[in-house]
Amino acid sequence: MQIRDELITALDYSESIVVLTDNRGMIRYVNNSFVEKYGYSREEVIGKTPRLFKSDYHDALYYHNLWATIKNGETWRGLFKNITKGGDFIWEKAVISPVKADNGRLSGFIAVKEDITRQRELQLQLDRDNSFLDELFDNSPVGIAILQPIYEHDKVVDFRVTRANPSAGIVVGRLGLVGLKVSDILPDYQMDQERLAQVLSRKSSFESHLQDIGKHVRYRSFPFGKDNVCLFFYDVSPYRQTIQALEASEERYFSLVEDAPALISRFDKDGVLIYANEEYCKTFEVQREDLIGRNIYDWYPDEEKSRAKRTIKSLTAENPISVVEHQLVLEGGKTKWMRWLDRALVDSNGKIFEYQSVGMDLTPLKKTELELIQHRNKLDAVVNSTVAGIGVVSPDGRFVLVNERFQKMMGYDSKEEIYACEHLEFAHPRWAAIAEQNFQRLLSGEVNDYNLELEIIRRDKTTFWGDLHVSPIKDVNGEIVEIIGIITDSTKKKETELQLKEREEKLKELNATKDKLFSIIAHDIKNPFNSILGFSGLLKNNLDHYSREEIKSYIEQIALSSENVYKLLDDLLIWAKSQLGQMTVNPQFFRLRNLVDMAFEHYTLQAENKQIALINDIRQQEVAYADLDMMKFVVRNLIHNAIKFTNSNGVVRCRAAIDGEFVILSVKDTGIGIRPEKVKTLFNISSYMTTSGTSEEKGTGLGLHLSLDMVEKNDGRIEVESEVGVGTEIKVYLPLTDQ
């Protein structure tokens, strides 16, 4: 095994991603790690440029600096955010170095890259988490402080505040807590040695009364890290006052709730009733003396009992309220639907001593709800049987109801999938702005309803044309609560309209083609033959009477007319093939300099007659990927026109440059230039207008039209820059590669 083979084997099994390119950046080799990470096979990337993996995250300057570094013979280090074949983003730490041949010349580049996608994601997530925690700490309405213990003789004697949020100072009525000791902040609260140690070792809670500001403050603490304690504290004065008022007004409480229209009761931790008001007794159809001492769970169905008990047990002093809804079975088998608001009652020590429940009889409401469901089912049957798609959206544009026809039109498996969408998601991007504008006009009351014909996107990204009628659904106050849209598939109608329009445009184009053809036959073919026949007749009848110079002049006129008529016939034949759809594109790689050299050689005589300099500044390595025969025609036409419209002693210069994935072939002359209004119609056959050259050269007007057609068939484009009296530059953009 040669050293090179051993090196390739080592690179193939390297965990780093390795890419080798030639000096133009074309990929020559990738290792196994590249194939595994990017999902491309070697065959798919060999001969391509690394632009295949660009994610558009980095700007052009980033790549400019990279190429400037490595082409200068230096090593470049940096990060890339690229994209894999599967569309996933990949972050890489890359080192790119130039590779030189034995003769010292630059032969290519080697890139060794490490996949850091996971580290990048973790770092971003960590940054977001830290930012979120800081925001939560600073903006929490609850006071939060971080404490560190103060030791004397290895015993904790106090705590010092190392960090506190703004709410902490507000709760205790003292700003600037950082650096203070807990004993300074709570001088009236004494913590013994056992409590101090407890705070440092496990979760703890306590309460203090701040006499100076008249507040009761509750504290909860937990240790974290090494010798750190997090302390939460919040003002419970209103809660304290409520408890005291409740305890002081027990008698008034009973008098208020006795005649209340709601069901009110109190029960202990086991569910045994301690009190029930008059409405409670009426609803359960039981005398009060028979209710007190009964267990509230006796009226629950078996399947509901365990859930009800779990709900009550889950109540705490911090979360004392729950709302439940369930069925009850009364004595005699009658059932009722009830909704209960259960509250845990807490004493001054923060302990739950019993529960209070406020109930509402939902039975009439449930009956009405059942009737509404039945009515809704009937309405759904009617709506779903229609041939039109019906969708109802909320004012924010989210679907709340669709019929089956709408679901099938949009290609979804279930209505629930549509309910997660907004109405604009179904409008083609070309129509999204118009659809939103009309929707907002409806919401504002500017219009009462509207009709719109637009393209609709199905789930599988196919489209169809739809006729949409939209109108509002209003409440009793006239406010819009929902919007209903009815849509029918108008694809066939729209296709017919588009076909008619396309045929109309085609007829216009054919008519222009006919006029063009007649004009050429009537004028541009006839005139050259008049010259040929005229000068030929003169030579035939008077050959012996003419001098050598006169004969040469007539022959040159015959040759020029013959060349013009030949070019005209050649253009007409190529044009005919284009019109008949017989032009096929066979792209290949070719050198632009050779192409221009051949065109210059073809027009050397014309250029010399007008003393015009033909300059080819294209480097030998500039390559394009297109149909060679078509590009020969294009370049000949552009150079012919440049010579035609350039005065004597002028210059026609050809250059080439790279622009992204294109190579630009520039044909620039120092001629008479083109007026701005004519530049716009320069390639348009329907705006045909011939112009004589600076030496009265004639043309057909077909060359530029055919040139544009050929360039576009090769996935390129043409741009024109011209200034009257200064000259014209025509730029032809051609692909660099077959991608």
Side-chain angles (χ1 to χ4, degrees), residues 531 557 560-561 564 606 610 640 643-647 672 691-699:
S531 297
Q557 292 296 327
L560 181 61
S561 297
N564 287 338
Q606 287 180 261
K610 297 181 72 173
H640 176 267
I643 296 172
K644 176 180 175 182
F645 295 105
T646 299
N647 290 310
I672 61 177
T691 304
S692 298
T694 56
S695 296
E696 297 302 318
E697 301 100 325
K698 301 295 183 181

Side-chain angles (χ1 to χ4, degrees), residues 14 27 68 119 160 174 269 351 363 373 395 404 438 460 477 498 502 520 549 584 595 601 617 626 663 672 675 719:
S14 172
I27 297 175
Q119 298 94 307
R160 189 179 304 281
R174 185 169 184 175
K269 292 182 178 181
K351 302 295 184 182
T363 305
I373 292 173
E404 292 178 1
N438 280 275
D460 60 2
N477 297 318
L498 293 175
E502 182 179 350
I520 292 171
E549 287 73 16
T584 57
L595 186 67
E601 183 178 350
D617 284 339
V663 59
I672 61 177
R675 297 190 306 274
E719 295 179 356

